[in-house]
Amino acid sequence: MSVAAPPVGVRCDRAEAWAALRGHFEAHGREFDLREAFARDPNRFAALGVEAPELYADLSKNLVDTATLHFLLDLARECGVEARRDAMFAGSAINTTEGRAVLHTALRAPRHSTLVPAEALADVHDTLDAMLAYVETARDTAASGIRHIVNIGIGGSDLGPQMVVPALDAYAHPKLTLHFVSNVDGHDIASVLRRVDPHETLFIVASKTFTTQETMANANAAKAWFVANGGTDTAKHFVATTTNIEAAAAFGITTTFGFWDWVGGRYSLWSAIGLPIALAIGADNFRALLAGAHAMDEHFASAPAAKNLPLLLGLIDVWYRNFHGFTSRSVAPYHQGLKRLPAYLQQLEMESNGKRVDLAGETLPFATSPVVWGEAGTNGQHAYFQMLHQGTDTIPVEFILVKRPTHGIAGLHGPLLEQLERQHTMLLANGLAQSQALMLGKSTDEARAEKAPTAAKDITPDTLARHRTFPGNRPSTTLLLEQLTPRSLGALIALYEHRVFTSGAVWGINSFDQWGVELGKALCNALLPRLASGDASGLDASTSGLLNRVRR
Ligand code: F6P
């Protein structure tokens, strides 16, 4: 794709809407109280609810009102967010520092879609068809003899499949076990190799560049283990997913599924990098995952701004980061299958928007990416929710609730069915209660009026009530899915991608490069021979001291 990048809009901090938002924040934002907002406006829940493909979003527990959203939408317009979005879909080289288009949306567009450039689509579909034909052969486990699939990759070549495969466990092939190896630490691959048989194992070497240190090291380890344990048919047992077909061939891999430089690593699960997903859930379900994402793409591209969910979420992120000064956001998926979603989102958001200069290279005088973190509900409740409720920081929380479970136990009925249904109701009640508690809080008077538990003798009832006070007014968003299916998961992931796009576009940064990972890689390469030789000359005192101790 060679369309030039679009002109850049006004940088957010120089926009008129930014000044208007600053005034609005001082007048109404700093002291905004959710409880009062609900009391003032009986229509608040309906007004701040958004229907998007496959999910409903309740934005009403956020520290915004319609005026805030109005100013934020003005900001998006002035910053050219919509023009930048259209340029992305059109295949412009919006990743300017790498001179690349950003077209992961083409990976999930139907063959004759007009949303993305036609010239990308033919290639995408031919490659997808070939990959899914291979998938169906490999999934015939009686014929292929494959029982274990080991994906070797890191970052974007790992986190997407590693998140999606357990999320769609109910759809997974019952006789295939998926393993993920990413860390250069040999303990990672060793624990997998101990459990598999070379004759039953398919290794996928997943790397966009096919040069990543960790992945190449683990691929070499896998190959050495395979040969040492009587594996003979390397061509059958090793495949690659990469844009660097020559390097894969040089490694000795003959079956390779390619993709393109306009697919960013953290946006690549829709490409050949999704091979482990397709192997787990099959071709039809993989296509449903793509279709769900495409539905969200259409929504982002054409829903009116005031009801455009990725746009609104990205703008609320800006509001919290730059006006309220919140430094992090916690993600709480109330579905065990989504336990790796926070890790996936960390790369998506923090590698995309953890930037400190604008597109022109000017240092930014405002904050960008928040820290994104979290854990599956209800486990997080028993770990860090204490801080969310009573700590000194306000941390917006994102609840992801799924109405209907997919337990995937064949013939589930009787007491077990009833028990699991009860547990699902408990799960939903927990999710709803947490967002309610964060918002409502509990005043010291309410705490005082409660029957107090036994405390140390010298603690007065009043002191105890203060310990048992919840400030409340802590914001959250709830995303509600009907069921966790390939299609709804596709939509959910695409929602996050476009939301990250939105805040990045407002901030005027390049959300699609990742120069920040390069320095450490280069220094590691320089240190490797020093660890062997012990040469610490010219190093800073701390690094040379540590190097000596490591070698001692
Ligand atoms: O961590 C940096 C990074 O380049 C990520 O952006 C990428 O997803 C990961 O490394 C893996 O890269 P590759 O797919 O080329 O092995």
Side-chain angles (χ1 to χ4, degrees):
M1 288 332 98
S2 55
V3 190
V8 176
V10 177
R11 202 176 74 186
C12 58
D13 58 324
R14 296 171 185 143
E16 282 174 23
W18 188 266
L21 277 162
R22 179 68 55 212
H24 174 71
F25 177 74
E26 294 306 335
H28 308 284
R30 198 185 288 285
E31 302 302 329
F32 187 90
D33 190 288
L34 280 167
R35 295 150 296 196
E36 288 168 15
F38 274 101
R40 256 197 322 271
D41 179 7
N43 195 38
R44 182 175 169 86
F45 175 73
L48 293 174
V50 183
E51 295 280 0
E54 300 293 321
L55 52 92
Y56 172 81
D58 172 24
L59 306 183
S60 68
K61 291 196 187 85
N62 281 291
L63 305 176
V64 296
D65 54 22
T66 40
T68 321
L69 294 182
H70 180 80
F71 287 124
L72 285 168
L73 289 168
D74 282 350
L75 180 68
R77 251 186 311 277
E78 261 188 274
C79 298
V81 174
E82 286 161 341
R84 200 163 171 74
R85 170 200 66 192
D86 297 345
M88 172 175 73
F89 281 112
S92 298
I94 62 166
N95 175 357
T96 47
T97 60
E98 296 183 314
R100 290 176 186 165
V102 173
L103 270 176
H104 45 279
T105 50
L107 300 168
R108 56 237 189 171
R111 199 180 266 273
H112 301 295
S113 166
T114 51
L115 190 62
V116 292
E119 69 241 59
L121 283 176
D123 257 7
V124 162
H125 280 273
D126 290 349
T127 309
L128 177 65
D129 292 348
M131 180 178 98
L132 294 183
Y134 168 81
V135 160
E136 289 309 299
T137 322
R139 292 182 98 238
D140 180 354
T141 52
S144 72
I146 298 298
R147 293 278 183 280
H148 294 274
I149 292 156
V150 181
N151 189 71
I152 299 176
I154 196 163
S157 300
D158 165 63
L159 288 163
Q162 204 196 120
M163 180 269 285
V164 171
V165 168
L168 298 178
D169 185 53
Y171 298 82
H173 192 301
K175 293 201 170 127
L176 284 175
T177 307
L178 276 284
H179 309 265
F180 294 90
V181 172
S182 52
N183 198 329
V184 75
D185 179 351
H187 294 100
D188 197 7
I189 193 159
S191 76
V192 172
L193 295 180
R194 273 202 302 276
R195 289 171 172 78
V196 298
D197 174 329
H199 306 289
E200 296 185 337
T201 303
L202 173 68
F203 291 96
I204 302 171
V205 184
S207 174
K208 179 176 174 184
T209 56
F210 225 79
T211 57
T212 303
Q213 183 201 54
E214 293 91 335
T215 303
M216 292 304 106
N218 280 319
N220 280 317
K223 209 162 143 189
W225 171 88
F226 182 75
V227 173
N229 286 277
T232 45
D233 195 350
T234 314
K236 176 181 165 191
H237 290 272
F238 281 80
V239 301
T241 52
T242 184
T243 58
N244 190 350
I245 314 266
E246 297 77 38
F251 184 85
I253 295 182
T254 47
T255 305
T256 299
F257 300 100
F259 55 109
W260 304 271
D261 71 351
W262 41 259
V263 182
R266 52 194 174 274
Y267 299 87
S268 65
L269 73 86
W270 323 100
S271 72
I273 292 295
L275 178 60
I277 302 172
L279 284 164
I281 65 174
D284 289 349
N285 285 321
F286 190 75
R287 287 190 193 276
L289 181 82
L290 300 181
H294 178 68
M296 190 58 77
D297 293 341
E298 293 275 11
H299 171 84
F300 183 48
S302 56
K307 287 289 173 194
N308 191 313
L309 187 56
L311 185 71
L312 292 172
L313 287 175
L315 290 172
I316 292 173
D317 291 340
V318 169
W319 175 239
Y320 284 159
R321 190 75 184 102
N322 301 116
F323 296 89
H324 283 276
F326 301 154
T327 56
S328 83
R329 190 174 78 244
S330 189
V331 183
Y334 277 68
H335 191 301
Q336 185 62 13
L338 293 173
K339 63 181 179 217
R340 294 296 290 161
L341 183 67
Y344 172 80
L345 294 178
Q346 282 177 336
Q347 188 197 17
L348 178 64
E349 188 146 352
M350 293 159 77
E351 199 172 79
S352 296
N353 285 349
K355 309 288 163 66
R356 53 181 284 288
V357 296
D358 66 15
L359 286 162
E362 252 190 83
T363 303
L364 297 174
F366 52 83
T368 58
S369 178
V371 175
V372 179
W373 57 284
E375 189 68 60
T378 59
N379 301 20
Q381 290 174 208
H382 295 271
Y384 51 78
F385 268 57
Q386 163 65 38
M387 181 211 179
L388 298 181
H389 287 290
Q390 286 190 315
T392 49
D393 289 81
T394 298
I395 298 174
V397 185
E398 202 147 273
F399 293 92
I400 302 171
L401 303 187
V402 180
K403 274 163 72 178
R404 288 187 291 127
T406 33
H407 292 121
I409 300 178
L412 188 59
H413 68 281
L416 177 60
L417 173 64
E418 284 161 26
Q419 177 60 24
L420 292 183
E421 280 181 348
R422 264 196 301 277
Q423 289 187 215
H424 195 72
T425 310
M426 290 179 205
L427 178 71
L428 291 173
N430 270 282
L432 291 175
Q434 290 300 323
S435 67
Q436 193 187 22
L438 284 165
M439 173 175 77
L440 295 179
K442 188 200 287 179
S443 70
T444 311
D445 282 345
E446 285 170 316
R448 222 181 266 122
E450 283 175 349
K451 183 174 155 25
T454 320
K457 270 211 280 318
D458 50 352
I459 292 238
T460 65
D462 195 56
T463 304
L464 187 57
R466 273 183 273 128
H467 283 275
R468 300 177 68 239
T469 299
F470 292 66
N473 201 34
R474 303 216 155 173
S476 68
T477 294
T478 298
L479 301 176
L480 185 58
L481 277 64
E482 195 61 37
Q483 203 168 23
L484 192 59
T485 62
R487 195 179 161 90
S488 67
L489 182 61
L492 179 72
I493 301 167
L495 169 69
Y496 277 103
E497 289 177 347
H498 296 320
R499 168 216 201 135
V500 168
F501 175 93
T502 297
S503 51
V506 169
W507 289 326
I509 58 181
N510 183 357
S511 299
F512 299 101
D513 62 11
Q514 55 284 315
W515 298 108
V517 302
E518 295 302 328
L519 178 60
K521 285 185 194 171
L523 294 183
C524 173
N525 286 335
L527 281 173
L528 264 174
R530 288 177 182 265
L531 271 164
S533 69
D535 173 17
S537 57
L539 292 177
D540 64 89
S542 166
T543 308
S544 76
L546 287 169
L547 187 128
N548 286 331
R549 278 188 168 259
V550 166
R551 280 177 43 83
R552 211 180 277 164

